[in-house]
Coordinates of all heavy atoms in Angstrom, one line a residue:
M1 N -76.9 112.0 -241.5 CA -78.2 111.1 -241.4 C -78.7 110.8 -242.9 O -78.6 111.6 -243.7 CB -79.3 111.9 -240.7 CG -80.5 111.0 -240.4 SD -81.9 112.0 -239.9 CE -81.5 112.6 -238.3
K2 N -79.1 109.5 -242.9 CA -79.5 109.1 -244.2 C -80.9 109.7 -244.6 O -81.6 109.9 -243.7 CB -79.8 107.5 -244.1 CG -78.5 106.7 -244.4 CD -78.8 105.3 -244.9 CE -77.5 104.5 -245.1 NZ -77.6 103.2 -245.1
I3 N -81.1 109.9 -246.0 CA -82.3 110.6 -246.3 C -83.6 109.7 -245.8 O -84.6 110.4 -245.3 CB -82.3 110.8 -247.9 CG1 -83.4 111.9 -248.1 CG2 -82.4 109.6 -248.6 CD1 -83.2 113.2 -247.7
E4 N -83.5 108.5 -245.9 CA -84.7 107.6 -245.5 C -85.0 107.9 -244.0 O -86.3 108.0 -243.7 CB -84.5 106.1 -245.7 CG -84.2 105.8 -247.2 CD -82.7 105.7 -247.3 OE1 -82.1 106.8 -247.9 OE2 -82.1 104.7 -247.2
A5 N -84.0 107.9 -243.2 CA -84.2 108.2 -241.8 C -84.7 109.5 -241.5 O -85.7 109.6 -240.7 CB -82.8 108.0 -241.0
L6 N -84.4 110.5 -242.2 CA -84.8 111.8 -242.1 C -86.3 111.8 -242.5 O -87.0 112.5 -241.8 CB -84.0 112.7 -243.1 CG -84.3 114.2 -242.8 CD1 -83.8 114.7 -241.5 CD2 -83.5 115.0 -243.9
A7 N -86.6 111.2 -243.6 CA -88.0 111.3 -244.1 C -89.0 110.5 -243.0 O -90.0 111.0 -242.7 CB -88.0 110.4 -245.4
L8 N -88.4 109.4 -242.5 CA -89.3 108.8 -241.6 C -89.3 109.5 -240.3 O -90.5 109.7 -239.8 CB -88.5 107.4 -241.1 CG -89.1 106.5 -240.1 CD1 -90.5 106.0 -240.6 CD2 -88.2 105.4 -239.6
G9 N -88.3 110.2 -239.9 CA -88.5 111.1 -238.6 C -89.5 112.2 -239.0 O -90.3 112.4 -238.0
L10 N -89.5 112.7 -240.2 CA -90.5 113.8 -240.6 C -91.8 113.3 -240.5 O -92.8 113.9 -240.0 CB -90.1 114.4 -241.9 CG -89.0 115.6 -241.8 CD1 -88.7 115.9 -243.2 CD2 -89.5 116.7 -241.1
A11 N -92.0 112.0 -241.1 CA -93.4 111.4 -241.2 C -93.9 111.1 -239.7 O -95.0 111.5 -239.5 CB -93.3 110.1 -241.9
L12 N -93.0 110.8 -238.8 CA -93.3 110.5 -237.5 C -93.9 111.8 -236.8 O -94.8 111.8 -236.1 CB -92.3 109.8 -236.7 CG -92.0 108.4 -237.0 CD1 -90.8 107.9 -236.2 CD2 -93.3 107.6 -236.7
L13 N -93.0 112.8 -237.1 CA -93.4 114.2 -236.5 C -94.7 114.8 -237.1 O -95.4 115.1 -236.3 CB -92.4 115.2 -236.9 CG -91.1 115.5 -236.0 CD1 -90.3 116.6 -236.6 CD2 -91.7 115.9 -234.7
I14 N -94.9 114.6 -238.3 CA -96.2 114.9 -238.8 C -97.3 114.3 -238.4 O -98.4 114.9 -238.0 CB -96.1 115.0 -240.4 CG1 -95.1 116.0 -240.9 CG2 -97.5 115.2 -241.1 CD1 -94.7 115.7 -242.3
A15 N -97.2 112.9 -238.2 CA -98.3 112.1 -237.7 C -98.2 112.0 -236.0 O -98.4 111.0 -235.4 CB -98.2 110.7 -238.2
A16 N -97.8 113.2 -235.5 CA -97.7 113.2 -234.1 C -98.9 112.6 -233.4 O -100.0 113.1 -233.5 CB -97.4 114.6 -233.5
P17 N -98.7 111.5 -232.6 CA -99.9 110.9 -232.0 C -100.4 111.7 -230.9 O -99.7 112.5 -230.3 CB -99.3 109.5 -231.5 CG -97.9 109.7 -231.4 CD -97.5 110.7 -232.3
A18 N -101.6 111.5 -230.6 CA -102.2 112.3 -229.4 C -101.6 111.8 -228.2 O -100.9 110.8 -228.1 CB -103.8 111.8 -229.3
Q19 N -101.8 112.6 -227.1 CA -101.1 112.3 -225.9 C -101.4 110.8 -225.3 O -100.5 110.2 -224.7 CB -101.7 113.3 -224.9 CG -100.6 113.8 -223.9 CD -101.2 114.8 -222.8 OE1 -102.2 115.3 -223.0 NE2 -100.5 115.0 -221.9
A20 N -102.6 110.4 -225.4 CA -103.0 109.2 -225.0 C -102.1 108.0 -225.6 O -101.6 107.1 -224.9 CB -104.5 108.9 -225.1
A21 N -101.9 108.2 -227.0 CA -101.0 107.3 -227.5 C -99.6 107.2 -227.2 O -99.0 106.3 -227.0 CB -101.1 107.4 -229.1
D22 N -99.1 108.5 -226.8 CA -97.8 108.7 -226.3 C -97.7 107.8 -225.0 O -96.7 107.2 -224.7 CB -97.5 110.2 -226.0 CG -97.2 110.8 -227.2 OD1 -97.1 110.3 -228.3 OD2 -97.2 112.1 -227.2
A23 N -98.7 108.1 -224.2 CA -98.6 107.4 -222.8 C -98.7 105.8 -223.0 O -98.1 105.1 -222.3 CB -99.8 107.9 -222.0
A24 N -99.5 105.4 -223.9 CA -99.6 103.9 -224.2 C -98.3 103.5 -224.6 O -97.8 102.4 -224.1 CB -100.7 103.6 -225.2
A25 N -97.5 104.2 -225.4 CA -96.3 103.8 -225.9 C -95.2 103.8 -224.8 O -94.5 103.0 -224.7 CB -95.8 104.6 -227.0
L26 N -95.4 104.7 -224.0 CA -94.5 104.9 -222.8 C -94.6 103.7 -221.8 O -93.7 103.0 -221.5 CB -94.9 106.2 -221.9 CG -93.8 106.8 -221.1 CD1 -92.6 107.2 -221.9 CD2 -94.4 108.1 -220.4
A27 N -95.9 103.3 -221.7 CA -96.3 102.0 -220.9 C -95.5 100.7 -221.6 O -95.1 100.0 -220.9 CB -97.8 101.9 -220.7
A28 N -95.7 100.7 -222.8 CA -95.3 99.6 -223.5 C -93.6 99.6 -223.4 O -93.1 98.6 -223.2 CB -95.7 99.6 -224.9
D29 N -93.1 100.7 -223.7 CA -91.6 100.9 -223.6 C -91.1 100.4 -222.3 O -90.0 100.0 -222.2 CB -91.2 102.3 -223.9 CG -91.4 102.7 -225.5 OD1 -91.7 101.8 -226.2 OD2 -91.2 103.9 -225.7
H30 N -91.8 100.8 -221.3 CA -91.3 100.5 -219.9 C -91.7 99.2 -219.4 O -91.4 98.7 -218.3 CB -91.8 101.6 -218.9 CG -91.1 103.0 -219.0 ND1 -91.4 103.8 -220.1 CD2 -90.1 103.5 -218.3 CE1 -90.6 104.9 -219.9 NE2 -89.8 104.6 -218.8
G31 N -92.3 98.4 -220.3 CA -92.5 97.0 -220.0 C -93.8 96.8 -219.2 O -94.1 95.6 -218.8
C32 N -94.4 97.9 -218.8 CA -95.6 97.7 -217.8 C -96.6 96.8 -218.5 O -97.2 95.9 -217.7 CB -96.4 99.1 -217.7 SG -95.2 100.5 -217.4
L33 N -96.8 96.9 -219.7 CA -97.9 96.1 -220.4 C -97.5 94.6 -220.5 O -98.4 93.8 -220.7 CB -98.3 96.7 -221.7 CG -98.7 98.1 -221.7 CD1 -99.2 98.6 -223.1 CD2 -99.7 98.3 -220.7
N34 N -96.2 94.3 -220.3 CA -95.8 92.8 -220.3 C -96.4 92.1 -219.1 O -96.8 90.9 -219.3 CB -94.2 92.7 -220.2 CG -93.7 93.3 -221.4 OD1 -94.3 93.5 -222.6 ND2 -92.3 93.6 -221.4
C35 N -96.6 92.9 -218.1 CA -97.1 92.2 -216.9 C -98.5 92.5 -216.6 O -99.3 91.8 -216.3 CB -96.2 92.5 -215.5 SG -94.6 91.8 -215.6
H36 N -98.8 93.9 -216.7 CA -100.1 94.4 -216.5 C -100.8 94.3 -217.9 O -101.1 95.3 -218.4 CB -100.1 95.8 -216.0 CG -99.4 95.9 -214.7 ND1 -99.9 95.4 -213.5 CD2 -98.2 96.4 -214.4 CE1 -99.0 95.6 -212.5 NE2 -97.9 96.3 -213.1
G37 N -100.9 93.2 -218.3 CA -101.4 92.9 -219.7 C -102.9 93.3 -219.9 O -103.6 93.6 -218.9
V38 N -103.4 93.3 -221.0 CA -104.8 93.4 -221.3 C -105.6 92.1 -221.0 O -106.7 92.3 -220.4 CB -105.1 93.9 -222.8 CG1 -106.5 94.0 -223.1 CG2 -104.3 95.1 -223.1
R39 N -105.0 91.0 -221.4 CA -105.8 89.7 -221.0 C -105.0 88.8 -220.1 O -105.7 88.1 -219.3 CB -106.0 89.0 -222.2 CG -107.3 89.5 -223.1 CD -107.5 88.7 -224.2 NE -108.2 89.5 -225.4 CZ -107.4 90.2 -226.2 NH1 -106.1 90.0 -226.2 NH2 -108.0 91.0 -227.1
S40 N -103.8 88.9 -220.2 CA -103.0 88.0 -219.3 C -102.1 88.7 -218.3 O -101.8 89.8 -218.4 CB -101.9 87.1 -220.1 OG -100.9 87.9 -220.8
H41 N -102.0 88.2 -217.1 CA -101.3 88.9 -216.1 C -100.3 88.0 -215.4 O -100.5 87.4 -214.4 CB -102.2 89.5 -215.1 CG -103.3 88.6 -214.6 ND1 -103.2 88.1 -213.3 CD2 -104.5 88.1 -215.2 CE1 -104.4 87.2 -213.2 NE2 -105.1 87.3 -214.3
P42 N -99.1 87.9 -216.0 CA -98.1 87.0 -215.4 C -97.6 87.6 -214.0 O -97.8 88.8 -213.8 CB -96.9 87.1 -216.4 CG -97.2 88.1 -217.3 CD -98.6 88.4 -217.2
H43 N -97.1 86.9 -213.3 CA -96.5 87.3 -212.0 C -97.7 87.8 -211.0 O -97.3 88.6 -210.3 CB -95.4 88.4 -212.1 CG -94.5 88.1 -213.1 ND1 -93.5 87.0 -213.0 CD2 -94.2 88.4 -214.4 CE1 -92.7 86.9 -214.1 NE2 -93.2 87.8 -214.9
E44 N -98.9 87.5 -211.3 CA -100.1 87.9 -210.5 C -100.1 89.5 -210.4 O -100.7 90.1 -209.6 CB -99.9 87.5 -209.0 CG -99.6 86.1 -208.8 CD -100.7 85.2 -209.2 OE1 -101.8 85.6 -208.9 OE2 -100.5 84.2 -209.8
A45 N -99.6 90.1 -211.5 CA -99.7 91.5 -211.7 C -101.2 91.8 -211.9 O -101.9 91.2 -212.7 CB -98.8 92.0 -212.8
P46 N -101.8 92.9 -211.3 CA -103.1 93.3 -211.7 C -103.2 93.7 -213.1 O -102.4 94.2 -213.7 CB -103.4 94.5 -210.8 CG -102.2 94.8 -210.1 CD -101.2 93.8 -210.2
L47 N -104.4 93.3 -213.7 CA -104.6 93.6 -215.2 C -104.7 95.1 -215.4 O -105.1 95.8 -214.5 CB -105.9 93.0 -215.7 CG -105.8 91.5 -215.9 CD1 -107.3 91.0 -216.4 CD2 -105.0 91.2 -217.1
L48 N -104.4 95.6 -216.6 CA -104.4 96.9 -216.9 C -105.7 97.6 -216.6 O -105.9 98.6 -216.1 CB -103.9 97.1 -218.4 CG -103.9 98.6 -218.8 CD1 -102.9 99.5 -218.1 CD2 -103.7 98.7 -220.4
K49 N -106.7 96.9 -217.0 CA -108.1 97.4 -216.9 C -108.4 97.6 -215.3 O -109.1 98.5 -215.0 CB -109.2 96.7 -217.6 CG -109.4 95.3 -217.1 CD -110.8 94.6 -217.8 CE -110.9 93.2 -217.6 NZ -110.9 92.8 -216.3
D50 N -107.9 96.6 -214.6 CA -108.2 96.7 -213.1 C -107.5 97.8 -212.5 O -108.0 98.6 -211.6 CB -107.9 95.4 -212.4 CG -108.8 94.3 -213.0 OD1 -110.0 94.6 -213.4 OD2 -108.4 93.2 -212.9
L51 N -106.2 98.0 -212.9 CA -105.5 99.1 -212.4 C -106.1 100.4 -212.8 O -106.3 101.3 -211.9 CB -104.0 99.1 -213.0 CG -102.9 98.4 -212.3 CD1 -101.6 98.5 -213.1 CD2 -102.6 98.9 -210.9
A52 N -106.5 100.5 -214.1 CA -107.2 101.7 -214.6 C -108.3 102.0 -213.7 O -108.7 103.2 -213.4 CB -107.4 101.6 -215.9
A53 N -109.3 101.0 -213.5 CA -110.4 101.1 -212.9 C -110.3 101.6 -211.5 O -111.0 102.6 -211.0 CB -111.4 99.9 -212.9
R54 N -109.2 101.1 -210.8 CA -109.0 101.4 -209.4 C -108.4 102.8 -209.3 O -108.9 103.7 -208.4 CB -108.1 100.5 -208.7 CG -108.6 100.1 -207.4 CD -108.0 98.7 -206.8 NE -106.7 98.5 -207.4 CZ -105.6 99.2 -206.9 NH1 -105.7 100.0 -206.0 NH2 -104.4 98.7 -207.3
L55 N -107.5 103.2 -210.1 CA -106.9 104.6 -210.3 C -108.0 105.6 -210.6 O -108.1 106.7 -210.1 CB -105.7 104.6 -211.1 CG -104.6 103.9 -210.7 CD1 -103.4 103.9 -211.7 CD2 -104.0 104.5 -209.3
G56 N -108.9 105.1 -211.5 CA -109.8 106.0 -212.2 C -111.0 106.4 -211.1 O -111.8 107.3 -211.4
R57 N -111.1 105.6 -210.0 CA -112.2 105.9 -209.1 C -111.9 107.2 -208.4 O -112.8 107.9 -207.8 CB -112.2 104.8 -208.1 CG -113.5 104.0 -208.2 CD -113.5 102.9 -207.3 NE -113.3 101.6 -207.9 CZ -112.6 100.6 -207.5 NH1 -112.0 100.6 -206.3 NH2 -112.5 99.6 -208.3
R58 N -110.6 107.7 -208.3 CA -110.4 108.9 -207.7 C -110.8 110.1 -208.6 O -110.4 110.0 -209.9 CB -108.8 109.0 -207.4 CG -108.6 108.1 -206.4 CD -107.1 107.8 -206.1 NE -106.9 106.9 -205.2 CZ -106.6 107.0 -203.8 NH1 -106.1 108.2 -203.4 NH2 -106.4 106.0 -203.0
S59 N -111.4 111.1 -208.2 CA -111.9 112.2 -209.0 C -110.6 112.9 -209.6 O -110.9 113.4 -210.7 CB -112.8 113.0 -208.2 OG -112.2 113.4 -207.1
D60 N -109.6 113.1 -208.9 CA -108.5 113.9 -209.3 C -107.3 113.0 -210.0 O -106.8 112.1 -209.3 CB -107.9 114.7 -208.2 CG -106.8 115.5 -208.6 OD1 -106.3 115.5 -209.7 OD2 -106.3 116.3 -207.7
V61 N -107.2 113.3 -211.2 CA -106.3 112.4 -212.0 C -104.9 112.5 -211.4 O -104.2 111.4 -211.3 CB -106.2 112.8 -213.5 CG1 -105.2 112.1 -214.2 CG2 -107.6 112.5 -214.1
D62 N -104.4 113.7 -211.1 CA -103.0 113.8 -210.5 C -103.0 113.2 -209.2 O -101.9 112.6 -208.9 CB -102.7 115.3 -210.4 CG -102.4 116.0 -211.8 OD1 -101.6 115.3 -212.6 OD2 -103.0 117.0 -212.1
A63 N -103.9 113.2 -208.4 CA -103.8 112.6 -207.1 C -103.8 111.0 -207.3 O -103.1 110.3 -206.5 CB -105.0 113.0 -206.2
A64 N -104.6 110.6 -208.2 CA -104.7 109.2 -208.5 C -103.3 108.7 -209.0 O -102.8 107.6 -208.6 CB -105.6 108.9 -209.7
A65 N -102.7 109.4 -209.8 CA -101.3 109.2 -210.4 C -100.3 109.1 -209.2 O -99.4 108.2 -209.1 CB -100.9 110.1 -211.4
R66 N -100.4 110.0 -208.3 CA -99.4 110.2 -207.1 C -99.6 108.9 -206.3 O -98.7 108.3 -205.8 CB -99.6 111.5 -206.3 CG -98.8 112.5 -207.1 CD -98.7 113.7 -206.1 NE -99.9 114.2 -205.5 CZ -100.7 115.1 -206.1 NH1 -100.4 115.5 -207.3 NH2 -101.9 115.5 -205.5
H67 N -100.9 108.6 -206.0 CA -101.2 107.4 -205.3 C -100.6 106.1 -205.9 O -100.1 105.3 -205.2 CB -102.8 107.2 -205.1 CG -103.1 106.1 -204.3 ND1 -103.0 105.9 -202.9 CD2 -103.6 104.8 -204.8 CE1 -103.4 104.7 -202.6 NE2 -103.8 103.9 -203.6
G68 N -100.8 106.1 -207.2 CA -100.3 104.9 -207.9 C -98.7 104.8 -207.9 O -98.3 103.7 -207.7
L69 N -98.1 105.9 -207.8 CA -96.7 106.1 -207.7 C -96.2 105.5 -206.3 O -95.3 104.7 -206.2 CB -96.1 107.5 -207.9 CG -94.7 107.6 -207.9 CD1 -94.0 107.0 -209.1 CD2 -94.3 109.1 -207.9
E70 N -97.0 105.8 -205.3 CA -96.6 105.3 -204.0 C -96.8 103.8 -204.0 O -95.9 103.1 -203.5 CB -97.7 105.8 -203.0 CG -97.2 107.2 -202.4 CD -98.3 107.8 -201.5 OE1 -99.0 107.1 -200.7 OE2 -98.5 109.0 -201.5
E71 N -97.8 103.3 -204.5 CA -98.0 101.8 -204.6 C -96.8 101.1 -205.5 O -96.3 100.1 -205.1 CB -99.3 101.4 -205.3 CG -100.5 101.8 -204.4 CD -101.8 101.2 -205.1 OE1 -101.9 101.1 -206.3 OE2 -102.7 101.0 -204.3
L72 N -96.5 101.8 -206.6 CA -95.5 101.2 -207.4 C -94.1 101.2 -206.6 O -93.4 100.3 -206.7 CB -95.4 102.2 -208.6 CG -94.3 101.8 -209.7 CD1 -95.2 101.4 -210.9 CD2 -93.5 103.1 -210.0
R73 N -93.9 102.3 -205.8 CA -92.6 102.3 -205.1 C -92.6 101.3 -203.9 O -91.7 100.8 -203.6 CB -92.4 103.8 -204.5 CG -92.1 104.8 -205.6 CD -90.8 104.5 -206.4 NE -90.6 105.3 -207.5 CZ -90.2 105.0 -208.8 NH1 -90.2 103.8 -208.9 NH2 -90.0 105.9 -209.7
E74 N -93.8 101.0 -203.4 CA -93.9 100.0 -202.4 C -93.6 98.6 -202.9 O -93.0 97.8 -202.2 CB -95.3 100.0 -201.7 CG -95.5 100.9 -200.6 CD -97.0 101.1 -200.3 OE1 -97.8 100.1 -200.6 OE2 -97.4 102.1 -199.9
K75 N -94.0 98.3 -204.1 CA -93.8 97.1 -204.7 C -92.5 97.1 -205.5 O -92.3 97.0 -206.6 CB -94.9 96.8 -205.8 CG -96.3 97.1 -205.3 CD -96.9 96.0 -204.5 CE -98.3 96.5 -204.1 NZ -98.9 95.8 -203.0
D76 N -91.3 97.4 -204.7 CA -90.1 97.6 -205.4 C -89.3 96.2 -205.6 O -88.2 96.3 -206.0 CB -89.2 98.6 -204.6 CG -88.8 98.0 -203.1 OD1 -89.4 96.9 -202.8 OD2 -88.1 98.6 -202.5
S77 N -90.0 95.1 -205.5 CA -89.3 93.9 -205.8 C -89.5 93.6 -207.2 O -88.8 92.9 -207.9 CB -90.0 92.6 -205.1 OG -91.4 92.6 -205.3
V78 N -90.4 94.4 -208.0 CA -90.6 94.3 -209.5 C -89.5 95.3 -210.0 O -89.4 96.5 -209.8 CB -92.0 94.9 -209.8 CG1 -92.1 94.8 -211.3 CG2 -93.1 94.0 -209.2
H79 N -88.7 94.6 -210.9 CA -87.6 95.4 -211.5 C -87.9 96.6 -212.3 O -87.5 97.7 -212.1 CB -86.8 94.4 -212.3 CG -85.5 94.9 -213.0 ND1 -84.4 95.3 -212.4 CD2 -85.4 95.3 -214.3 CE1 -83.5 95.7 -213.2 NE2 -84.1 95.8 -214.4
A80 N -89.0 96.3 -213.0 CA -89.5 97.5 -214.0 C -90.1 98.6 -213.1 O -89.9 99.8 -213.5 CB -90.6 96.9 -214.9
H81 N -90.6 98.4 -212.0 CA -91.0 99.5 -211.1 C -89.8 100.3 -210.6 O -89.9 101.5 -210.6 CB -91.7 98.9 -209.8 CG -93.1 98.2 -210.1 ND1 -93.9 97.6 -209.1 CD2 -93.8 98.0 -211.2 CE1 -94.9 97.2 -209.6 NE2 -94.9 97.4 -210.9
R82 N -88.7 99.6 -210.3 CA -87.5 100.3 -209.7 C -86.8 101.0 -210.9 O -86.3 102.1 -210.7 CB -86.5 99.3 -209.2 CG -86.9 98.7 -207.8 CD -85.5 98.2 -207.1 NE -84.8 97.2 -208.0 CZ -85.1 95.9 -208.0 NH1 -86.1 95.4 -207.4 NH2 -84.4 95.2 -208.9
M83 N -87.0 100.5 -212.1 CA -86.3 101.2 -213.3 C -86.9 102.4 -213.8 O -86.4 103.2 -214.6 CB -86.0 100.2 -214.4 CG -85.2 98.9 -214.0 SD -83.5 99.5 -213.4 CE -82.9 100.2 -214.9
T84 N -88.2 102.6 -213.5 CA -88.9 103.7 -214.0 C -88.9 105.1 -213.2 O -88.9 104.9 -211.9 CB -90.5 103.2 -214.1 OG1 -90.5 102.1 -214.8 CG2 -91.3 104.3 -214.9
S85 N -88.5 106.0 -213.9 CA -88.4 107.4 -213.3 C -89.8 107.7 -212.8 O -90.8 107.3 -213.2 CB -87.8 108.4 -214.2 OG -88.8 108.7 -215.2
D86 N -89.8 108.6 -211.7 CA -91.1 109.2 -211.2 C -91.8 110.0 -212.3 O -93.1 109.7 -212.5 CB -90.8 110.2 -210.2 CG -90.4 109.7 -208.8 OD1 -90.3 108.4 -208.8 OD2 -90.4 110.3 -207.7
E87 N -91.1 110.6 -213.2 CA -91.7 111.3 -214.2 C -92.5 110.4 -215.2 O -93.6 110.6 -215.6 CB -90.6 112.1 -215.0 CG -91.2 113.3 -215.8 CD -90.0 113.9 -216.7 OE1 -89.0 113.3 -216.7 OE2 -90.3 114.9 -217.3
S88 N -91.8 109.4 -215.6 CA -92.4 108.4 -216.6 C -93.6 107.7 -215.9 O -94.7 107.5 -216.5 CB -91.4 107.5 -217.0 OG -90.3 108.0 -217.8
A89 N -93.4 107.3 -214.6 CA -94.4 106.5 -214.0 C -95.7 107.4 -213.8 O -96.8 106.9 -214.0 CB -93.8 106.1 -212.6
L90 N -95.4 108.6 -213.5 CA -96.6 109.6 -213.3 C -97.3 109.8 -214.5 O -98.7 109.7 -214.7 CB -96.2 110.9 -212.8 CG -95.9 111.0 -211.3 CD1 -95.3 112.3 -210.9 CD2 -97.1 110.6 -210.5
A91 N -96.7 109.8 -215.8 CA -97.3 110.0 -217.0 C -98.2 108.8 -217.4 O -99.2 108.8 -217.7 CB -96.2 110.2 -218.1
I92 N -97.5 107.6 -217.1 CA -98.2 106.4 -217.4 C -99.4 106.2 -216.4 O -100.5 105.8 -216.8 CB -97.2 105.1 -217.2 CG1 -96.1 105.2 -218.2 CG2 -98.0 103.8 -217.3 CD1 -95.0 104.2 -217.9
L93 N -99.3 106.4 -215.2 CA -100.3 106.3 -214.2 C -101.4 107.3 -214.4 O -102.6 106.9 -214.3 CB -99.7 106.4 -212.8 CG -98.8 105.3 -212.3 CD1 -98.0 105.7 -211.2 CD2 -99.6 104.1 -212.1
R94 N -101.1 108.5 -214.9 CA -102.1 109.5 -215.3 C -102.9 108.8 -216.5 O -104.2 109.0 -216.5 CB -101.5 110.7 -215.7 CG -102.3 111.9 -215.2 CD -101.5 113.2 -215.6 NE -100.5 113.6 -214.6 CZ -99.3 113.9 -214.9 NH1 -98.9 113.9 -216.2 NH2 -98.5 114.2 -214.1
W95 N -102.2 108.3 -217.4 CA -102.9 107.6 -218.6 C -103.8 106.6 -218.1 O -104.9 106.4 -218.5 CB -101.9 107.2 -219.5 CG -102.4 106.1 -220.5 CD1 -103.1 106.5 -221.7 CD2 -102.1 104.8 -220.7 NE1 -103.3 105.4 -222.4 CE2 -102.7 104.4 -221.8 CE3 -101.4 104.0 -219.8 CZ2 -102.6 103.1 -222.2 CZ3 -101.3 102.6 -220.3 CH2 -101.9 102.2 -221.5
M96 N -103.3 105.7 -217.1 CA -104.2 104.7 -216.6 C -105.3 105.2 -215.9 O -106.6 104.7 -216.0 CB -103.4 103.9 -215.6 CG -102.4 103.0 -216.3 SD -101.4 101.9 -215.0 CE -100.4 101.1 -216.0
A97 N -105.2 106.3 -215.1 CA -106.3 106.8 -214.3 C -107.4 107.5 -215.1 O -108.6 107.5 -214.8 CB -105.8 107.9 -213.4
Q98 N -107.0 107.7 -216.5 CA -108.0 108.3 -217.5 C -108.6 107.1 -218.4 O -109.2 107.4 -219.4 CB -107.2 109.3 -218.2 CG -107.1 110.6 -217.4 CD -106.3 111.5 -218.2 OE1 -105.3 111.4 -218.8 NE2 -106.8 112.9 -218.2
G99 N -108.3 105.9 -217.9 CA -109.0 104.7 -218.7 C -108.0 103.9 -219.6 O -108.5 103.0 -220.2
A100 N -106.8 104.3 -219.6 CA -105.7 103.6 -220.4 C -106.1 103.3 -221.7 O -106.0 102.2 -222.3 CB -105.4 102.3 -219.5
K101 N -106.5 104.3 -222.4 CA -107.0 104.2 -223.9 C -105.9 104.1 -224.7 O -104.8 104.7 -224.5 CB -107.9 105.4 -224.3 CG -109.1 105.4 -223.5 CD -110.1 106.4 -224.2 CE -111.4 106.4 -223.3 NZ -111.2 106.9 -222.0
M102 N -105.9 103.0 -225.6 CA -104.7 102.8 -226.6 C -104.5 103.9 -227.6 O -103.6 104.0 -228.2 CB -104.8 101.4 -227.1 CG -104.6 100.3 -226.2 SD -103.0 100.4 -225.4 CE -103.0 99.2 -224.0
R103 N -105.6 104.5 -228.0 CA -105.5 105.6 -228.8 C -106.7 106.5 -228.8 O -107.7 106.3 -228.1 CB -105.4 105.3 -230.4 CG -106.6 104.4 -230.9 CD -106.1 103.5 -232.0 NE -106.8 102.2 -232.2 CZ -107.6 101.8 -233.3 NH1 -107.6 102.7 -234.2 NH2 -108.2 100.7 -233.3
Ligands
HEC201 C1 -92.3 92.0 -214.1 C2 -93.8 92.3 -214.1 C3 -94.1 93.8 -213.9 C4 -93.8 94.9 -214.6 C5 -92.9 95.0 -215.9 C6 -94.7 96.0 -214.1 N1 -95.3 95.6 -212.9 FE1 -96.5 96.7 -211.9 N2 -96.9 95.2 -210.6 C7 -96.4 93.8 -210.8 C8 -96.8 93.0 -209.8 C9 -96.6 91.5 -209.6 C10 -97.7 93.9 -208.9 C11 -98.4 93.4 -207.7 C12 -97.4 93.2 -206.6 C13 -98.1 93.0 -205.3 O1 -99.4 93.2 -205.1 O2 -97.4 92.6 -204.4 C14 -97.6 95.2 -209.5 C15 -98.2 96.2 -208.9 C16 -98.3 97.5 -209.6 C17 -99.1 98.6 -209.0 C18 -99.8 98.6 -207.6 C19 -101.0 97.9 -207.8 C20 -101.5 97.4 -206.5 O3 -102.7 96.8 -206.5 O4 -101.1 97.7 -205.4 C21 -98.9 99.6 -209.8 C22 -99.5 101.0 -209.8 C23 -98.1 99.3 -211.0 N3 -97.8 97.9 -210.7 C24 -97.8 100.0 -212.2 C25 -96.8 99.5 -213.0 C26 -96.3 100.4 -214.0 C27 -96.7 101.8 -214.3 C28 -95.4 99.6 -214.6 C29 -94.5 100.1 -215.8 C30 -93.5 101.1 -215.4 C31 -95.3 98.4 -214.1 N4 -96.2 98.3 -213.1 C32 -94.5 97.3 -214.6 C33 -95.6 93.4 -211.9 C34 -95.1 94.3 -212.8

């Protein structure tokens, strides 16, 4: 490994982001935010804030995430929905249920 790559890796490790930031990155990596955007919602996808508000209405974050996962699996015409593992989806949905904070 090149020394610069090693240094960058260490820097990233040291600056380990909070859990919320991890989930935000996960949502971005899985393309969720491309459709469930902050301001625009192509393909009639519900906006992130609306998804978050709806999931957040449930008092139990884990139950909200599981419910979100069921909805996500029902909407299986969306490629990104099909491509996401249960594990990743639950992490993202839990983040959404907690208000989808970017950091
Ligand atoms: C290609 C665009 C697109 C991407 C990418 C995408 N979605 Fe969706 N999503 C949609 C659309 C469109 C709907 C609404 C479908 C409908 O109501 O028939 C939807 C619905 C949902 C719903 C159900 C909301 C409801 O009202 O029933 C959840 C939860 C959801 N998406 C989560 C996610 C997550 C998490 C990701 C990332 C893994 C993601 N979506 C990626 C387009 C997308």
